[in-house]
């Protein structure tokens, strides 16, 4: 081992003695997993033999891990306020005070933070709001962009790389981001499907989930749905434990938590931290931020770091708090909660003229004094059967001893007890098709338990179709009928896209679940995009058939069976394109209300430039590009060609030429006389039955001459795929989930 932490305080010796305790139920499960892996790699060692050698009177001798961080510093730029005077350029000045105000300001969120912790321990980061607790957790969890954070984070003396950290760690967010209609057991089982390797049989994954349910203390709620505002589900404390369970399903070596007790009552908070203590004792390093722990919670913590405006004001064990503040000159009263007193004192100092500078300097001196009093060379703990291992070898040894690290496999070399191990760490635990299958299954299960959502969608489509059918009932082939057909097609095709706007909240509601799951490579972003498309497509088929069946015969559209088939296809293509467009926007906009505003506006522009309100030949050159970008243009032109493609069908005969003009109000006899006069003037015989306008003439008049109806269909479908690809890139670029 490159570095092992020594006990700094008297109470640490006692805590280290019990840090390797392992939950019996989980231990038995891990034995079974070890057996499976032995058989998979062809190891002929009797099952459980190596594991049993590591137990002594109920104590599990785990592979030691030490996480150390040194001089972590993080600065952010503070945007200047927009003031009227800043809108005008200033003259250059030599006054340093004025020059200083013109420069961009920076704020220090972390200032040379150092510390260390080891497996079996819980390190808690405390401080008032704005002290830097969450920032420090993000820094340790590699959630700050590369280059912005200064300092080093090492595990067993070796720098942690991003890919390795994603595999061996987990991060539990402050908010409980869960699917409301899944049960506790289903939620954890899907997490197991994502995070545990495909090589592990499903029966073993189920055993892991059942053991985790017992470990989390949520057996009574296993069959209960998570719930939300509209559906009664589990309690707040149980939700928090489920959130933790999702991220520890693969039994990570490092576990980071951002205020896991926030919003919970004292009992629920104690139960959550008690669960974290069990996780630590199973061989993990647990680091969490916490606002104000109770006396019982404090008894479960091993190391504390108090922060004040990005500075360390205390770092050590809970037992050393009284001695620290006594030497500082502010002794803790006998019957008062230690952390409450410390936090109150820190807040009081922050409001004083000198701030916490004195406490920060005293902590530095106190730490130096402790190092001088404990000058000992780092020792390998006697409980470790794996001395002098590299980090990868230590992780591989940990995997071989039962740690269900996501997709990590340890490969043994040699045939004796001095075997060395190497670590094969794939980026993802499962192949792409498994991810798509699991994501689709979860989405369909969640949707199936909310049938009212699809019911509302299909009801809106049927009602819209019914209104259109009754308004445009049985249109004839007169000039007025032609004009009414054009209006029906324009409104119907734009309705397809507006109806898709209700898909906007889907991803916005799942956004943070997606970011949490992909942050640690639970699945590929491309798998999510494909799964999203696969799950949404069947509902589009039902919507298309419902709208076509409601309007086709009632309006009296032409084309026969093949015309009906194409009508269904172009409606389906419109739904697909519109759904993809809205899905893409959901990956860009931050909120539902802003998303609806943008969708409605853009779809209105698409309709304006579709060719219905203004013919393509009449659109100004500087706007013609928008005509070709309009999603409504291609379905609109496709249904026009489907309706008016018959060159032998007549829509204007004889005196009907005067319809839709002021002459249309004249008596029939007068129209015949006018028609005869026109006929003589042109030298062409035009009777009342002469066909003057065919379907081809209507298409030419509307400017629909560039593309065939099948090309319009293909372009509409292609738009759908284009927006799905753009959606993927928005996920790729916009879900890094890192501070800059």
């Amino acid at each position: 081992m490159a570095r092992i932490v020594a006990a700094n305080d008297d109470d640490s010796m006692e805590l280290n003695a019990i840090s390797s305790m392992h939950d019996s139920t989980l231990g038995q499960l891990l034995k079974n997993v070890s057996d499976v892996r032995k058989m998979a790699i062809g190891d002929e060692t009797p099952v459980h033999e190596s594991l049993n050698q590591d137990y002594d009177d109920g104590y599990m001798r785990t592979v030691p891990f030490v996480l150390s961080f040194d001089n972590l510093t993080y600065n952010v730029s503070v945007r200047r306020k927009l003031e009227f005077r800043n809108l005008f350029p200033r003259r250059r000045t030599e006054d340093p005070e004025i020059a200083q105000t013109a420069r961009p300001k920076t704020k220090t969120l972390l200032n040379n933070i150092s510390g260390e912790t080891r497996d079996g321990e819980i390190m808690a980061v405390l401080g008032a709001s704005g002290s830097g607790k969450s920032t420090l957790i993000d820094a340790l969890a590699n959630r700050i962009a590369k280059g912005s954070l200064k300092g080093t984070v090492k595990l067993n003396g070796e720098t942690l790389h991003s890919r390795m950290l994603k595999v061996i760690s987990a991060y539990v967010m402050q908010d409980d981001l869960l699917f409301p209609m899944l049960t506790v057991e289903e939620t954890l089982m899907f997490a197991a499907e994502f995070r545990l390797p495909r090589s592990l049989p499903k029966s073993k994954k189920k055993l892991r989930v059942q053991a985790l349910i017992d470990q989390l203390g949520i057996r009574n709620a296993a069959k209960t749905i998570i719930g939300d505002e509209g559906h009664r589900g589990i309690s707040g404390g149980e939700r928090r434990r489920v959130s933790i369970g999702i991220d520890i399903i693969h039994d990570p070596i490092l576990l980071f938590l951002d205020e896991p007790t926030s919003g919970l009552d004292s009992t629920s908070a104690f139960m959550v931290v008690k669960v974290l203590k069990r996780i630590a004792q199973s061989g993990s390093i647990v680091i969490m931020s916490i606002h104000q722990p109770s006396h019982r919670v404090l008894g479960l913590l091993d190391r504390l770091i108090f922060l004040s405006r990005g500075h360390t004001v205390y770092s050590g064990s809970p037992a050393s708090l009284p001695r620290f503040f006594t030497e500082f000159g502010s002794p803790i009263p006998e019957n008062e909660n230690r952390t409450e007193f410390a936090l109150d004192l820190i807040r009081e100092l922050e409001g004083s003229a000198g701030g916490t500078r004195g406490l920060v300097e005293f902590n530095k001196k106190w730490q130096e004094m402790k190092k001088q009093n404990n000058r000992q060379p780092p020792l390998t703990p006697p409980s470790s059967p794996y001395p002098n291992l590299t980090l990868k070898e230590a992780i591989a040894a940990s995997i071989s001893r039962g740690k269900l690290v996501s997709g990590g496999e340890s490969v043994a070399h040699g045939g004796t007890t001095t075997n060395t191990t190497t670590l094969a760490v794939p980026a993802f635990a499962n192949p792409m098709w498994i991810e798509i299958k699991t994501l689709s299954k979860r989405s369909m299960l969640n949707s199936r338990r909310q049938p009212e959502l699809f019911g509302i969608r299909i009801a809106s489509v049927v009602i819209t179709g019914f209104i259109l059918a009754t308004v445009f009932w049985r249109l004839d082939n007169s000039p007025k009928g032609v004009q009414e057909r054009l209006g029906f097609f324009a409104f119907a095709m734009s309705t397809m896209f507006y109806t898709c706007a209700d898909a906007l909240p889907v991803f916005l509601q799942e956004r943070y679940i997606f970011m949490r799951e992909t942050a640690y490579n639970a699945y590929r972003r491309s798998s999510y995009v494909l799964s999203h498309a696969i799950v949404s497509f069947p509902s589009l088929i039902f919507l298309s058939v419902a709208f076509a069946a409601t309007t086709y015969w009632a309006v009296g559209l032409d084309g026969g069976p093949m015309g009906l088939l194409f009508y269904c296809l172009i409606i389906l293509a419109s739904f697909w394109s519109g759904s993809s467009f809205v899905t893409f926007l959901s990956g860009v906009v931050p909120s539902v209300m802003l998303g609806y505003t943008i969708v409605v506006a853009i779809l209105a522009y698409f309709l304006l430039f579709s060719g219905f309100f203004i013919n393509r030949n009449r659109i100004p050159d500087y706007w013609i590009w928008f005509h070709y970008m309009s999603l409504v243009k291609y379905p609109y032109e496709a249904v026009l060609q489907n309706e008016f493609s018959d060159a032998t069908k007549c829509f204007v005969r004889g005196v009907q030429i005067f319809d839709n003009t002021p002459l249309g109000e004249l008596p029939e006899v007068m129209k015949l006389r006018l028609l005869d006069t026109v006929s003589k003037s042109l030298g062409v015989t035009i009777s009342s039955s002469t066909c003057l306008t065919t379907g081809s003439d209507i298409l030419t008049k509307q400017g629909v001459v560039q593309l065939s109806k099948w090309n319009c269909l293909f372009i509409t479908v292609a738009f759908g795929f284009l927006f799905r690809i753009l959606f993927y890139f928005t996920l790729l670029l916009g879900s890094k989930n890192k501070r800059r």
Side-chain angles (χ1 to χ4, degrees):
M1 298 294 294
R3 181 178 184 183
I4 299 295
V5 64
N8 293 326
D9 306 298
D10 296 336
D11 60 318
S12 298
M13 301 292 289
E14 181 179 352
L15 291 172
N16 289 337
I18 63 171
S19 65
S20 298
M21 285 294 293
H22 195 278
D23 183 79
S24 59
T25 304
L26 185 60
Q28 184 60 43
L29 171 65
L30 299 183
K31 290 179 183 179
N32 295 336
V33 174
S34 180
D35 297 347
V36 173
R37 285 182 172 159
K38 284 178 181 290
M39 290 185 287
I41 64 175
D43 189 350
E44 298 180 359
T45 305
V47 295
H48 300 163
E49 180 178 340
S50 60
L51 263 171
N52 291 337
Q53 292 173 353
D54 298 329
Y55 282 86
D56 183 13
D57 298 330
Y59 289 80
M60 182 181 178
R61 301 163 64 191
T62 59
V63 180
F65 290 99
V66 178
L67 180 72
S68 60
F69 47 97
D70 299 301
N71 303 320
L72 295 183
T73 301
Y74 177 49
N75 300 314
V76 294
S77 299
V78 180
R79 295 181 180 179
R80 294 171 56 192
K81 293 182 179 179
L82 182 62
E83 297 180 2
F84 181 77
R85 61 179 180 175
N86 293 334
L87 299 177
F88 301 95
R90 298 180 181 179
R91 290 182 302 174
R92 299 187 65 177
T93 177
E94 300 299 328
D95 189 334
E97 293 186 1
I98 298 177
Q100 183 68 25
T101 59
R103 297 172 187 169
K105 296 182 179 179
T106 60
K107 182 179 180 181
T108 300
L109 301 184
L110 296 177
N111 193 333
N112 290 324
I113 307 296
S114 300
E116 60 184 6
T117 183
R118 60 157 297 157
D119 58 292
E121 294 182 343
I122 298 180
M123 171 183 279
V125 183
L126 298 92
S129 298
S131 61
K133 302 189 300 294
S134 298
T135 306
L136 178 57
I137 298 296
D138 287 346
L140 297 176
N142 193 35
R143 290 165 64 89
I144 296 179
K146 187 177 181 180
S148 300
L149 179 69
K150 298 179 181 178
T152 59
V153 179
K154 297 182 178 180
L155 185 63
N156 288 0
E158 298 184 27
T159 302
L160 272 175
H161 298 289
S162 178
R163 179 175 176 180
M164 178 67 73
L165 184 62
K166 284 185 177 183
V167 174
I168 68 171
S169 68
Y171 185 98
V172 181
M173 296 181 179
Q174 184 173 346
D175 299 321
D176 299 321
L177 306 171
L178 305 168
F179 286 94
M181 301 311 296
L182 299 181
T183 66
V184 170
E185 188 175 25
E186 290 168 344
T187 301
L188 295 176
M189 192 62 207
F190 280 118
E193 293 286 350
F194 288 131
R195 298 305 300 266
L196 302 186
R198 183 189 173 196
S199 59
L200 198 65
K202 191 168 185 177
S203 59
K204 297 296 182 183
K205 294 179 181 178
K206 289 181 178 179
L207 284 175
R208 169 61 180 158
V209 169
Q210 295 305 318
L212 187 58
I213 288 174
D214 291 330
Q215 187 183 19
L216 297 171
I218 50 177
R219 171 60 60 188
N220 293 334
K223 301 295 183 181
T224 307
I225 64 170
I226 301 298
D228 56 11
E229 296 84 358
H231 304 85
R232 186 175 180 85
I234 58 179
S235 67
E238 290 169 336
R239 287 172 65 92
R240 187 58 48 86
R241 279 178 272 171
V242 173
S243 296
I244 295 172
I246 288 175
D247 289 302
I248 66 168
I249 191 71
H250 62 299
D251 201 6
I253 294 171
L254 299 174
L255 177 60
F256 305 99
L257 305 100
D258 186 13
E259 297 201 19
T261 61
S262 177
L264 302 181
D265 58 76
S266 177
T267 301
S268 297
F270 175 71
M271 292 298 296
V272 168
V273 180
K274 194 174 180 181
V275 167
L276 297 178
K277 187 65 176 178
R278 292 182 200 151
I279 296 169
Q281 291 172 347
S282 70
S284 298
I285 299 174
V286 178
I287 303 176
M288 68 175 184
S289 60
I290 189 168
H291 189 66
Q292 198 161 341
S294 64
H295 178 73
R296 291 193 300 169
V297 169
L298 185 62
L300 298 174
L301 306 179
D302 301 287
R303 295 176 186 267
L304 304 178
I305 292 182
F306 282 85
L307 298 180
S308 174
R309 296 176 181 174
H311 294 80
T312 304
V313 294
Y314 174 78
S315 178
S317 69
S320 299
L321 269 175
R323 181 159 57 96
F324 175 83
F325 282 101
T326 298
E327 295 180 9
F328 178 68
S330 300
I332 301 176
E334 185 176 350
N335 296 324
E336 189 164 349
N337 185 298
R338 300 172 185 176
T339 56
E340 289 183 4
F341 174 85
L343 292 171
D344 290 342
L345 178 62
I346 292 170
R347 291 192 189 96
E348 183 179 338
L349 292 174
E350 287 177 345
S352 63
T356 57
R357 190 177 306 164
L359 188 58
V360 172
E361 294 301 323
F362 176 77
N363 175 65
K364 292 179 181 178
K365 295 178 181 178
W366 196 72
Q367 296 293 339
E368 289 295 329
M369 184 177 62
K370 282 205 308 178
K371 289 181 180 179
Q372 292 176 2
N373 294 337
N374 294 281
R375 283 186 175 176
Q376 302 176 25
L379 299 175
T380 301
S383 61
S384 173
Y386 298 100
N388 303 321
L389 293 182
T390 65
L391 177 58
K392 285 190 176 182
E393 289 173 343
I395 294 173
S398 181
I399 293 173
S400 67
R401 294 163 60 79
K403 276 288 184 183
L404 301 175
V405 178
S406 175
E409 294 291 344
S410 59
V411 182
H413 300 278
T416 66
T417 56
T418 59
N419 286 352
T420 60
T421 55
T422 58
L423 180 63
V425 184
F428 299 92
N430 295 289
M432 189 172 181
W433 69 272
I434 291 288
E435 295 173 352
I436 295 174
K437 176 184 174 182
T438 307
L439 284 166
S440 301
K441 182 180 178 181
R442 183 176 68 177
S443 297
M444 288 188 288
L445 182 61
N446 196 56
S447 300
R448 194 165 65 242
R449 291 181 179 165
Q450 301 179 85
E452 64 275 7
L453 299 181
F454 177 71
I456 291 173
R457 290 190 69 186
I458 198 166
S460 65
V461 168
V462 171
I463 291 173
T464 302
F466 174 76
I467 294 174
L468 289 175
T470 52
V471 170
F472 297 97
W473 179 261
R474 288 300 190 184
L475 298 178
D476 55 28
N477 293 330
S478 66
K480 290 183 178 180
V482 171
Q483 193 63 36
E484 289 164 354
R485 274 179 166 81
L486 296 177
F488 165 77
F489 287 136
F491 189 89
M493 293 303 104
S494 62
T495 297
M496 302 301 103
F497 293 92
Y498 279 109
T499 304
C500 293
D502 58 5
L504 185 68
V506 174
F507 177 70
L508 289 174
Q509 292 172 353
E510 297 180 8
R511 183 199 297 269
Y512 293 104
I513 298 179
F514 167 83
M515 292 174 67
R516 183 200 68 203
E517 292 176 334
T518 55
Y520 289 88
N521 289 3
Y523 48 80
R524 297 165 180 81
R525 292 171 176 82
S526 56
S527 298
Y528 181 85
V529 173
L530 291 173
S531 169
H532 191 280
I534 292 171
V535 171
S536 63
F537 194 75
S539 63
L540 302 182
I541 297 176
F542 283 103
L543 296 176
S544 303
V545 172
F547 186 83
T550 308
T551 58
Y552 187 80
W553 290 285
V555 176
L557 300 182
D558 193 25
M562 292 304 297
L564 173 61
L565 175 61
F566 184 84
Y567 184 62
C568 291
L569 290 176
I570 195 62
I571 291 175
L572 177 60
S574 301
F575 273 125
W576 161 251
S577 180
S579 175
S580 300
F581 171 68
V582 173
T583 300
F584 160 66
L585 282 183
S586 70
V588 177
V589 298
S591 65
V592 175
M593 291 306 299
L594 179 61
Y596 277 130
T597 303
I598 294 175
V599 167
V600 171
I602 294 179
L603 291 182
Y605 302 147
F606 284 162
L607 179 60
L608 174 63
F609 289 97
S610 64
F612 171 70
F613 291 103
I614 181 172
N615 193 283
R616 176 177 58 84
N617 300 326
R618 301 282 295 172
I619 297 176
D621 292 340
Y622 48 82
W623 279 118
I624 196 66
W625 60 273
F626 209 117
H627 171 71
Y628 291 102
M629 287 183 61
S630 172
L631 295 182
V632 181
K633 160 188 164 62
Y634 300 99
Y636 175 66
E637 293 187 359
V639 291
L640 286 186
Q641 294 186 69
N642 191 52
E643 182 69 15
F644 299 114
S645 59
D646 188 355
T648 62
K649 191 171 183 177
C650 187
F651 291 91
V652 179
R653 292 181 181 276
V655 295
Q656 288 181 337
I657 195 175
F658 302 117
D659 291 355
N660 297 327
T661 69
L663 299 178
E665 301 298 327
L666 295 175
E668 188 73 15
V669 176
M670 185 63 70
K671 291 180 182 178
L672 290 173
R673 291 178 183 176
L674 287 173
L675 186 62
D676 183 60
T677 302
V678 171
S679 176
K680 291 178 180 179
S681 299
L682 296 175
V684 180
T685 303
I686 303 177
S687 65
S688 59
S689 60
T690 302
C691 182
L692 301 176
T693 302
T694 63
S696 299
D697 297 326
I698 294 174
L699 294 177
T700 302
K701 183 179 179 182
Q702 294 297 317
V704 184
V705 294
Q706 291 183 324
L707 299 170
S708 68
K709 67 178 184 179
W710 291 105
N711 286 336
C712 290
L713 175 65
F714 295 146
I715 291 175
T716 304
V717 173
F719 264 121
F721 283 105
L722 172 64
F723 285 120
R724 295 286 172 176
I725 295 172
L726 293 177
F727 177 53
Y728 168 73
F729 283 110
T730 61
L731 299 185
L732 196 63
L733 300 176
S735 61
K736 296 294 185 182
N737 207 20
K738 285 189 176 185
R739 303 191 189 201
R740 295 184 179 181

